Amino acid sequence: MRLTRLLSTSALIAFGTLPAFAAPVSDTKHPNQKAHPKTEIAAPSMMGNTAPTDVHEEHVSVSGRHSFDGVTRRAVGGGLMEKQDSAKSVSAVSRDFIEKQVPGADPMQLIALLPGANVSSTDPAGLTGSSMSMRGLDQSQIGFTLEGFPINDIGNFAVYSQEIVDSENLRTVRVAQGSADLDSPHISSTGGVVDMYMIDPQMKAGGRLGVSYGSYDYTRGFLRLDTGKIGNTNLRAYFSGSYATEGVNNSDATNRKLHAETKIVNDWGDGNRVSLAIVGNRLYNYLTPSVSKASWDAYGRGVKDRYVAPGKNAAGQSISNTVWNSTYNPNASDSGTSYYKLHQNPFTNIYASAPSTFKLADNLVLTETPYFWYGDGSGGSAYLTDMNKLSYGSQATTGSLNGVTSKRVLYNPSITKTYRPGAVTKLTLTTGQNRLMVGYWFEYAKQAQQGPYTGVGADGNPWDVWGSSANVVLGNGQTYMYRNTLTQTRVHTMFIGDTLSLLNNKLTIDAGFKYAIVLRSGTNMLPDTSTGRNTSKTYAEPLPTVAIRYQINPENQIFVSGATNFRMPTNYSLYDAGAYYKGSGYATHANTNQNPEISISEEVGYRYTGKTIMGSITYFHYDFTNRLMSTSQCMDDRCDNYFTTNINAGGQTTNGVDAEIGTRPVFRYFRPYVSFEYVDARLGSNLQAGSGTGIDYLHTKGKFAPETPKFQVGFNLDYDDGHLFGGYNLKYVSRQYSTFMNDQSIPGYVLMNANIGYRFQNLGFLQAPNVRINFSNLSDHAYLGFVKGIQTNATQQTGIFGKKISGSTPTYAIAAPFSAIASVSAGF
């Protein structure tokens, strides 16, 4: 994770003393506002992270009362911009924007308007999570951190945004589009980082409550209790909980989420601080089906309450309904396996982090961030299985369930359990105009993944969604599984960085070096695998960075930076898994010869920070080597069966421009914001396709990278007069290819959202009670929002050597329909 970032005094004021409501404000500071000194010298660099601050932010009090929600009404662009000093591209959202979105929205949804962020959600309230790419790199290539600890899955680096944090407790989300900082604790961040910071407990006892209700029977309640200062110390804490349920579009399924958070803080002296953040999350969700283009064209968002048998369209393409069926029909052609209760996704997470800072001397600061990450859950599917025709590796055998051997529907949960402790330690020495940082990140993660089979009742309910009840047992006494692995990952990362400030701090020069050593060992309990039972790999990567920032005057700033980042192969590359085919092995093949993906990024940018207008523009360039991807290949010349494997897919070059501009209130109480991105991402290699005697290469060199919109435009208009508030935003995302051959894509789209609300005067012990309505997808536009399953080619192609290469079907996520959600909240 990133090393402990120090929260400034302004952070404490921002979330302990904001206005209940505010009269019109001018561009001058409020008479009661004081300067907010930072607790350590800021690092306007790529070296390390401190909690983001905005020295231009103004906090306006009214009648001595303060707001519970953190809205200042002064944040630039309605909370979509903050003052930045880093010598690289950085964007951020703050409470002014977060507070006005759908309560409980996940962090990806909150940054969807920022430059480079391509975000799509399958539900408006964030209960099923979102999909995201940034500058064409997907979320598994972006490092996510909360309060100093890594959020990405340690195995495949996925991010499950619905599990992270309640938006009411989220202070800011900071996006570095191009590269990670030296102290960022990630082994997968070739495409930048997203850092999330929770609010601090208030100095005064109180709290917040809120309830919401809306489309698809969405209901949610939230309660936070602040202890205030305990005794004569600065020790304080808050405890919060929320519970949300939501019906699934065109289904009888209901997603449920129980979430709890606490944060404890104590600070003393000049810059000493200890904090502890704990997040707990329990999901009972349903998997959202991905669809093919042919199925989407045939059924759109899907048909509820009647069974639609899989079939083929006039072009011979396979099609099926795009939603799970609401009734269980074991006599249907799919034997009822599309019943929604056979696609559940329960999961439990507990995150804990203790970012702390100790001032050892006037010029020496120690920051320490120990953390622990726990996860346990599964995603389920169902299959009609003949238990008289099973296998134990290459050995044909039979199976039984509670002593019964027959052909029947079995429930197959994909179980993952993770234990992940770690710590980041950093020492910072400041001498005159020089700042030296040295640090070390260590992590030791264990991840067990299994895939047993259990029974399905006559009503279609799985016997146990966690897979822990009676399981199918093979004739040799082994439990029947499609995977059974244990991965242990040890991370040792040393880093050193130096910042030199010259010309009265106008010129800042950074240089840094990080050396990452990652040791992965895997145990595969399946028999007859290509790699044997035990596998181990060691990766060692040197990662230099350099950056220069020049402050022309208080308003104008230029910067240039270069960084090297890497992404390890996923743990899946260590293992064979799935069904076993005689003569061809498992359906998933291990590939332990993969090299890490490397990105070398350069940025040149300009920022303007005025009293009313703030803007930036950045040119970026990436060179990638050893791009990591999963591919499907034929097991034989006839292509009767396929296997999937992970490969290095050569290089890629990306060029582009990001820009954003926003204002404080310029006309009465309006604050507009606009973002823009242009990307040209080209593949540098011809990809291998086929296997054996059918091996060939596709003509992919020079093709546009999939999952990469060439253009994106975001717009937000915020209005807030202290009582009446509202906002309107839209996002345009251009076409996204879903294959490396560029022979299938989803069209561009425009998404529009809006909100309107009213804050009342304080009412008794209630602070600023308010009501609001959030509208998502205003036009109810039905569209495919994101590419979920990238393929090399969708249609048959002729390879470089003249061989015919069959196409594979890309899959997509269906974007959320229109919704309206009403909310009532207040502080106390």
Side-chain angles (χ1 to χ4, degrees):
M1 217 41 282
R2 188 179 337 125
L3 280 197
T4 301
R5 11 188 125 77
L6 303 177
L7 292 177
S8 65
T9 303
S10 61
L12 303 180
I13 294 175
F15 294 99
T17 58
L18 289 180
F21 65 95
V25 293
S26 66
D27 287 335
T28 60
K29 286 187 176 181
H30 188 273
N32 294 329
Q33 183 186 359
K34 298 179 180 180
H36 306 313
K38 295 183 179 180
T39 55
E40 80 169 288
I41 295 176
S45 66
M46 302 174 66
M47 283 174 35
N49 290 311
T50 57
T53 59
D54 185 353
V55 297
H56 286 249
E57 198 60 74
E58 298 185 38
H59 309 293
V60 185
S61 63
V62 178
S63 303
R65 299 302 299 272
H66 304 286
S67 172
F68 65 94
D69 58 14
V71 174
T72 68
R73 299 181 46 240
R74 297 291 303 156
V76 177
L80 283 164
M81 289 192 75
E82 291 184 341
K83 183 180 185 298
Q84 303 296 339
D85 284 320
S86 181
K88 63 178 182 177
S89 177
V90 176
S91 302
V93 300
S94 64
R95 290 298 310 164
D96 275 51
F97 181 78
I98 295 170
E99 178 62 27
K100 296 174 184 177
Q101 307 315 300
V102 175
D106 72 56
M108 289 184 188
Q109 292 173 309
L110 297 174
I111 62 175
L113 295 174
L114 297 184
N118 171 29
V119 178
S120 180
S121 302
T122 55
D123 78 296
L127 263 66
T128 57
S130 301
S131 299
M132 176 182 173
S133 66
M134 191 157 64
R135 294 179 177 175
L137 306 174
D138 72 30
Q139 61 201 51
S140 68
Q141 297 167 284
I142 302 166
F144 282 74
T145 59
L146 173 68
E147 287 292 304
F149 64 88
I151 294 295
N152 302 68
D153 184 279
I154 188 61
N156 64 358
F157 313 124
V159 179
Y160 306 102
S161 55
Q162 72 271 35
E163 301 171 356
I164 299 175
V165 63
D166 273 336
S167 59
E168 291 90 343
N169 295 335
L170 192 57
R171 178 192 171 196
T172 188
V173 185
R174 175 182 177 269
V175 178
Q177 290 95 337
S179 62
D181 292 314
L182 275 179
D183 55 356
S184 292
H186 296 294
I187 56 176
S188 63
S189 56
T190 49
V193 292
V194 176
D195 297 323
M196 294 161 282
Y197 303 87
M198 296 167 66
I199 64 172
D200 269 1
Q202 297 191 53
M203 293 290 189
K204 184 178 179 180
R208 170 182 182 147
L209 56 86
V211 294
S212 303
Y213 180 78
S215 302
Y216 312 107
D217 291 327
Y218 176 72
T219 59
R220 181 176 183 269
F222 174 87
L223 175 65
R224 183 176 69 232
L225 300 175
D226 279 86
T227 64
K229 293 172 61 174
I230 299 174
N232 295 321
T233 70
N234 286 326
L235 180 64
R236 57 207 185 274
Y238 64 70
F239 305 89
S240 73
S242 67
Y243 181 70
T245 65
E246 177 187 48
V248 179
N249 182 44
N250 282 354
S251 173
D252 289 337
T254 299
N255 293 321
R256 293 170 288 155
K257 174 181 175 180
L258 178 64
H259 193 91
E261 296 173 359
T262 184
K263 187 173 182 181
I264 305 169
V265 172
N266 191 22
D267 40 34
W268 68 95
D270 182 16
N272 296 290
R273 174 186 174 91
V274 175
S275 68
L276 172 65
I278 302 174
V279 176
N281 193 79
R282 186 74 177 261
L283 285 173
Y284 281 101
N285 281 7
Y286 291 85
L287 296 172
T288 303
S290 298
V291 300
S292 67
K293 196 76 175 295
S295 296
W296 173 254
D297 291 340
Y299 297 112
R301 287 174 174 155
V303 182
K304 181 188 175 185
D305 293 333
R306 70 180 180 88
Y307 176 74
V308 178
K312 293 184 180 295
N313 61 13
Q317 299 168 316
S318 297
I319 59 173
S320 61
N321 195 6
T322 55
V323 296
W324 305 127
N325 289 311
S326 295
T327 56
Y328 181 59
N329 182 2
N331 298 316
S333 60
D334 71 345
S335 301
T337 57
S338 58
Y339 182 47
Y340 75 92
K341 289 186 178 180
L342 297 177
H343 300 274
Q344 299 189 47
N345 184 38
F347 220 91
T348 298
N349 298 87
I350 299 175
Y351 306 137
S353 174
S356 303
T357 305
F358 306 96
K359 193 167 185 180
L360 306 181
D362 288 342
N363 60 350
L364 184 63
V365 174
L366 168 68
T367 55
E368 179 72 25
T369 306
Y371 61 86
F372 181 74
W373 198 111
Y374 168 79
D376 183 19
S378 71
S381 296
Y383 305 94
L384 180 63
T385 305
D386 187 348
M387 288 190 287
N388 291 304
K389 297 180 179 179
L390 301 181
S391 68
Y392 183 66
S394 60
Q395 176 187 348
T397 185
T398 61
S400 64
L401 182 63
N402 281 354
V404 177
T405 300
S406 63
K407 189 179 205 179
R408 61 179 299 170
V409 173
L410 299 176
Y411 185 70
N412 179 215
S414 177
I415 300 168
T416 297
K417 182 175 289 188
T418 303
Y419 298 91
R420 188 179 179 185
V424 184
T425 303
K426 180 175 70 173
L427 275 171
T428 304
L429 176 67
T430 303
T431 56
Q433 300 303 309
N434 194 74
R435 171 186 168 123
L436 177 67
M437 179 190 73
V438 294
Y440 171 65
W441 168 40
F442 173 74
E443 180 178 290
Y444 180 22
K446 290 187 177 182
Q447 187 172 69
Q449 296 179 295
Q450 298 177 318
Y453 293 79
T454 188
V456 175
D459 58 357
N461 281 305
W463 287 2
D464 190 334
V465 296
W466 301 90
S468 58
S469 65
N471 298 126
V472 174
V473 178
L474 300 174
N476 60 4
Q478 297 290 326
T479 299
Y480 180 43
M481 295 193 185
Y482 83 92
R483 69 173 182 178
N484 189 8
T485 64
L486 172 65
T487 308
Q488 300 182 71
T489 305
R490 298 170 179 85
V491 180
H492 302 270
T493 300
M494 292 69 69
F495 52 89
I496 182 170
D498 191 75
T499 299
L500 179 63
S501 296
L502 302 171
L503 304 178
N504 293 321
N505 293 325
K506 284 190 173 183
L507 177 64
T508 303
I509 302 173
D510 298 324
F513 182 80
K514 177 160 57 176
Y515 193 73
I517 302 173
V518 183
L519 301 89
R520 251 193 181 151
S521 59
T523 302
N524 192 350
M525 274 69 83
L526 296 181
D528 303 323
T529 62
S530 61
T531 58
R533 182 178 176 87
N534 297 302
T535 305
S536 63
K537 290 285 293 184
T538 299
Y539 307 87
E541 292 296 331
L543 305 167
T545 65
V546 64
I548 300 173
R549 186 206 64 171
Y550 184 72
Q551 191 76 40
I552 301 171
N553 55 39
E555 290 79 27
N556 296 279
Q557 179 186 114
I558 57 175
F559 62 87
V560 58
S561 66
T564 307
N565 294 281
F566 83 118
R567 176 178 179 243
M568 274 189 47
T570 67
N571 65 334
Y572 298 150
S573 65
L574 299 177
Y575 306 117
D576 292 348
Y580 192 94
Y581 298 91
K582 287 187 177 180
S584 303
Y586 285 91
T588 298
H589 286 190
N591 181 5
T592 58
N593 296 319
Q594 281 188 290
N595 294 314
E597 177 179 287
I598 304 295
S599 72
I600 300 175
S601 63
E602 299 92 27
E603 293 184 328
V604 178
Y606 164 78
R607 293 190 184 101
Y608 175 80
T609 306
K611 289 184 177 180
T612 303
I613 298 176
M614 191 180 295
S616 70
I617 184 169
T618 304
Y619 163 76
F620 57 88
H621 172 84
Y622 294 92
D623 278 313
F624 289 91
T625 55
N626 297 323
R627 285 298 305 269
L628 297 172
M629 65 168 287
S630 176
T631 183
S632 298
Q633 299 180 15
C634 297
M635 286 188 172
D636 49 53
D637 293 341
R638 295 177 55 187
C639 277
D640 291 331
N641 294 301
Y642 290 85
F643 71 88
T644 61
T645 190
N646 294 278
I647 64 170
N648 285 120
Q652 179 179 315
T653 300
T654 301
N655 292 278
V657 175
D658 281 342
E660 61 180 339
I661 186 170
T663 78
R664 299 184 190 275
V666 289
F667 175 72
R668 294 188 179 271
Y669 306 100
F670 288 100
R671 293 177 290 175
Y673 169 86
V674 178
S675 67
F676 168 81
E677 180 177 83
Y678 165 79
V679 176
D680 182 52
R682 301 289 173 174
L683 304 178
S685 307
N686 293 315
L687 295 183
Q688 178 182 323
S691 61
T693 59
I695 194 169
D696 204 336
Y697 291 84
L698 289 163
H699 294 272
T700 54
K701 186 175 182 179
K703 297 291 187 180
F704 203 87
E707 205 177 61
T708 306
K710 180 174 283 190
F711 295 99
Q712 292 189 80
V713 179
F715 171 75
N716 185 69
L717 184 62
D718 178 85
Y719 175 89
D720 194 334
D721 67 9
H723 292 290
L724 180 65
F725 62 89
Y728 167 82
N729 65 66
L730 65 83
K731 184 69 180 281
Y732 167 71
V733 179
S734 66
R735 176 177 59 180
Q736 301 174 66
Y737 289 112
S738 54
T739 68
F740 288 88
M741 277 299 295
N742 295 171
D743 57 353
Q744 192 171 117
S745 63
I746 55 176
Y749 65 86
V750 174
L751 175 65
M752 295 181 288
N753 306 310
N755 65 79
I756 187 169
Y758 191 86
R759 293 188 199 91
F760 296 90
Q761 299 274 0
N762 293 345
L763 180 62
F765 71 95
L766 295 178
Q767 292 184 27
N770 68 84
V771 296
R772 76 174 184 271
I773 302 178
N774 291 88
F775 303 96
S776 302
N777 193 354
L778 278 170
S779 62
D780 196 24
H781 178 45
Y783 64 99
L784 297 174
F786 206 81
V787 181
K788 297 295 287 185
I790 298 173
Q791 302 294 341
T792 54
N793 54 302
T795 58
Q796 181 175 283
Q797 301 287 335
T798 301
I800 289 175
F801 302 144
K803 294 184 171 61
K804 299 298 182 182
I805 301 172
S806 300
S808 301
T809 303
T811 55
Y812 309 92
I814 303 172
F818 168 81
S819 74
I821 295 176
S823 305
V824 179
S825 63
F828 55 87

